[in-house]
Amino acid sequence: MTRLSASSVREEFSETLNRVAYRGERIILERHGKDVAALVPVEDLELLEELEDRMDLDAARKALKEHGSMSLEELKAELGI
């Protein structure tokens, strides 16, 4: 994975964006020697979001199995709203 300083990316933003969008590169942005962000192709982001959705669904199913369900009124009462 490529690491670039945020300032160099700012100077060559169009070229960096093309590397990510068209060549599929993943680029870590550094500031003062520390990783602060990443540029990834949209396909990678979509995959990450799909994985997060699956994890959320698994957690919800587990909680439902362990605790059962409740009505909206029961939830409001529990939350005090």
Side-chain angles (χ1 to χ4, degrees):
M1 194 168 318
T2 305
R3 283 184 156 68
L4 297 172
S5 69
S7 60
S8 69
V9 170
R10 185 173 43 245
E11 293 169 6
E12 298 179 13
F13 185 73
S14 182
E15 172 61 27
T16 304
L17 191 59
N18 286 338
R19 289 170 60 180
V20 173
Y22 299 112
R23 291 190 237 154
E25 278 190 62
R26 298 173 181 166
I27 299 177
I28 301 290
L29 303 180
E30 297 178 332
R31 185 179 290 153
H32 306 294
K34 294 184 181 179
D35 297 345
V36 294
L39 296 175
V40 297
V42 170
E43 295 82 11
D44 288 8
L45 176 61
E46 289 170 347
L47 178 59
L48 177 60
E49 289 176 338
E50 184 178 327
L51 290 171
E52 289 174 336
D53 289 346
R54 287 183 186 181
M55 291 170 61
D56 290 344
L57 184 57
D58 289 344
R61 286 181 175 151
K62 182 180 177 185
L64 193 59
K65 187 181 261 187
E66 291 175 0
H67 305 290
S69 62
M70 66 174 64
S71 70
L72 180 58
E73 293 306 317
E74 291 171 322
L75 179 60
K76 286 180 178 180
E78 185 175 307
L79 297 174
I81 54 174

